[in-house]
Amino acid sequence: MAPVAQRPRGTQDILPADQLYWQEMTGAAEAIATARGYQRIDTPTFEATALFVRSAGETSDVVTKEMYTFPDRGGRSMTLRPEGTAPVVRAYFEAGLDRERQPVRLYYIGPFFRYDRPQAGRFRQFHQFGVEAIGDAAPGLDVEVIALGWRWFASLQLSGVSLQVNSIGDAACRPRYREALRDYYRPYLDALSEQDRSRFERNPFRLLDSKDPDAVALQANAPRTLDFLCDACRRAFAEVERGLEQGGIPFTVNPQLVRGLDYYTRTAFEFWHESLSGAQNSLGGGGRYDGLAADLGYRDTPGVGFALGLERTATILKSREIGPAIYAVAVEESARPLMHELAEALCQRGLAVMADVSNARLDAKLGRASKMHARLALLVGLQEDAGDHVTVRDMRLKKQESIHRDRLLLHVLDMLAEPPAETT
Ligand code: HAM
């Protein structure tokens, strides 16, 4: 008999072999968020449908095409959460967090649901690590949030991530920009797809995000949000840019960047990865949503946050070339027991150590260390000061040093603390 069911389309089993990557991502998220004063919040996996319709925007793709909506047995319309910002803002007011000291810094890790056509990097159930800092409009908070996301990628030793930043203005300056966009696109309306013509009517910003070839051709010369910002938005954006520069966080100002959800004001940003292409090149994104609380019927309250996609990040982690922290080799046969003893001691301190147990020549062993992408090689021999000293070789910098055994752990930790060359 054939099995009665298979995994639903667009979902994944996270198998034991992959758990390591998931632990790495969630462990780093918890450590980095907690260290910066962000507290964990978990909201339900389903909410009243109206929460998402009002926040994401009635014309957004998420609401028009991607929601898992169902009537519950009481006839109420419920939706599996497609994103976390609206639920967190709802919880913030329902729990009275708006009366605590502001801003309130929150983070979450969990599953989200979007009924979309599954393809590489796009699932129907996926996971996000998100943060929301609510109750303060200072641009410094935007910088804090962006820096937190940047640190997360850095701590996973992911290279090839680029930060794209834009300001999309606020209620004061956006109407003028919207009209400028319509004026620009109006003469080309006949050439646009039906979907883009509807975007023109309902939400012309989305034309900047269209993947339709006719619309893409027009994007390069379209009016830029940054040229239409009011003074307050312009000042805020300059402060964000300055903060990122001072924090040593490299970024690209991308005037074409618009986000798929309607609740954003001012700062919008995304983290892109060079190995991901097309519509799914974004590892995560976020921005300011100063109008969201009022849209949901609460007191006007500013906020800023992001969500990073764990499936897309896991794909890159798996292709990343990271081996053991230390590859231990015995320089001569008789030093092997000592090599094992030192490797064991480093292991017990939580370091990833791999010991070479072969009888190969030393250069062959070092070749293996580099093939395994080890950061350091530990060369243990009895000639060196009767085994009191060992040689530690940095495999990337191709530098080595002779270290007394008593100082080995501290020295190795120091060397490993230096960021790998390709991560900025
Ligand atoms: P978003 O850009 O819709 O933002 O999603 C953030 C990230 O979640 C994406 O960059 C992507 O990595 C991942 N993601 C989204 N949809 C899928 C999917 N179908 N399959 C796999 N991964 C996906 C938000 O959700 C906002 N709530 C972010 C935010 C927080 N803004 C302010 N605060």
Side-chain angles (χ1 to χ4, degrees), residues 163-168 224-226 237 251-258 268 270 272:
L163 168 63
Q164 310 281 318
V165 188
N166 192 18
S167 171
I168 56 172
R224 299 149 44 108
T225 56
L226 294 176
F237 190 57
F251 62 97
T252 305
V253 175
N254 180 347
Q256 224 95 39
L257 186 80
V258 284
E270 286 187 359
W272 288 0

Side-chain angles (χ1 to χ4, degrees), residues 83 85 114 121 123 128 132 259 263-264 282-284 305-306 309:
E83 66 101 35
T85 310
R114 294 185 193 177
F123 299 95
Q128 291 183 338
E132 312 292 349
R259 304 261 309 127
Y263 49 61
Y264 292 105
S282 185
L283 288 178
F306 66 63

